[in-house]
Every structure is written in C-alpha cells, then in structure tokens.
Amino acid sequence: MNQTRKRLSMLTTAALLTALAILIPQVMPKIVIPPASFTLASHVPIMIGMLISPVVAVIVALGSTLGFLISGLPIEITFRAATHVIFALIGSLFLWKHRDYTEGIKFQIFNVVIALIHTLAEVAIVYILLTTGFSHLDGRNLVSLLLILGIGGFIHSLIDFNIAMFIAKTINRVYKFDIFNH
C-alpha cells in the first residue's frame, strides 16, 4: 500500500474509532454507581486504536472523553475517561515496538498490566476529586467507592481489551486490513 493510501486509511480508521468512542457513552447499556460507571464496550475503540498507533490511540481516547462529557453522566466519570489517554499512550507505545504481545499468553500479560495502569489512573483521579472537595459526591464511603471502581474497572478493562482484540483480528481476517503492521 503506498504511503498516501496508508495515511488515508489510518485517518479514516481513527475517525471511525473516534466516532464510536463518542457514541458509545450515549447509547450503550451502563451500570452507574457514581463515581463508577461501567459502560459496555466503552474502551474497545481506544484499545483498537492502541493496536494502530500511539497518535490514533490518543485521539480516540480524547474522543471518548468528549463522549462521556456530553453523555450527561457525573463529571467525575468524564475525568476518569480523560485518564484513558495515559493507558492508551503507554500501551500503544509498547505495542508499537513489541507486536508479539498481541498474541496468546503475552497478550494476556500485557492486558493485565494495561488494566492495572488503567485502573490506577482512574482510582487516582477519583481519589483526588473526592478528597479535594471538587466532587459533588460524598466522600464518606471513599474506601467502598474506590474498591468498586478499582475491582470493577480492572475487570471491565480486561474484558474490553479481549473484545477489542477479537474485533481487530476479525477485521484483519475478513477485510485484509492489517492493523498490526505499521
């Protein structure tokens, strides 16, 4: 594929993933226990973007933040979405150099590490918001809120990345669109 066509393909893919990332918080089923919110497949476009390039991953993560901002959910959830830039960039930079971590046990190890980074960033921002008084939520149940957010967020991240990898591999197989090569 020539360079112009490859860039156009990457731009189009980034735009489609960003549109999905904005749309998902609006339409997908969710469980909301502020400041926790578990929206079905909300990380999938970001995680597919991580497989493409660091720039695409960050753009899609920012689009997801916008999606949560306009969804009407509590502002703490938008701040949590903004932290997705962190795990998306770190994970994508790693995958850019280590494509062998998209298969088998190496992928699952990578998935656990990214889920930990993802969860720690979300818990940290919620902790900051709750303890500084920025949040409108009551901080009396801080430990239980952070446990729900931490454990639930970790499991949610693991599931979404497996969904993202399944979709990415299916797209590669069906459409011969090799997102694993850069």
Side-chain angles (χ1 to χ4, degrees):
M1 182 181 307
N2 69 33
Q3 282 300 91
T4 303
R5 186 175 169 100
K6 188 172 183 176
R7 285 186 182 152
L8 182 59
S9 178
M10 187 179 294
L11 178 65
T12 304
T13 303
L16 288 170
L17 289 171
T18 303
L20 281 172
I22 293 169
L23 185 63
I24 285 172
Q26 318 304 311
V27 300
M28 293 301 277
K30 60 185 73 53
I31 298 170
V32 180
I33 309 166
S37 155
F38 306 104
T39 304
L40 183 64
S42 60
H43 307 107
V44 170
I46 298 168
M47 293 166 167
I48 292 173
M50 288 169 58
L51 299 169
I52 298 170
S53 81
V55 172
V56 172
V58 169
I59 289 169
V60 178
L62 292 171
S64 176
T65 303
L66 175 63
F68 278 98
L69 178 65
I70 63 176
S71 71
L73 291 168
I75 194 68
E76 296 84 0
I77 295 170
T78 300
F79 275 96
R80 283 183 40 232
T83 69
H84 294 167
V85 171
I86 297 167
F87 86 80
L89 182 59
I90 291 169
S92 187
L93 287 170
F94 180 83
L95 288 176
W96 193 254
K97 294 181 181 183
H98 304 281
R99 285 297 181 183
D100 55 322
Y101 278 82
T102 60
E103 296 289 336
I105 191 71
K106 283 186 172 184
F107 168 69
Q108 293 307 328
I109 292 168
F110 172 77
N111 192 7
V112 166
V113 171
I114 284 301
L116 284 172
I117 293 168
H118 178 177
T119 303
L120 288 173
E122 287 193 4
V123 168
I125 194 66
V126 168
Y127 179 80
I128 290 167
L129 294 172
L130 289 173
T131 58
T132 60
F134 181 81
S135 173
H136 72 283
L137 297 173
D138 187 354
R140 286 179 293 174
N141 298 323
L142 183 63
V143 173
S144 61
L145 287 172
L146 294 178
L147 279 174
I148 291 168
L149 185 60
I151 294 168
F154 180 76
I155 293 167
H156 185 201
S157 184
L158 291 174
I159 291 169
D160 275 1
F161 213 158
N162 278 290
I163 293 169
M165 189 59 76
F166 173 79
I167 291 169
K169 287 182 177 185
T170 301
I171 290 169
N172 278 343
R173 199 173 325 106
V174 173
Y175 295 104
K176 310 292 187 247
F177 180 69
D178 195 3
I179 64 173
F180 296 99
N181 289 326
H182 45 271

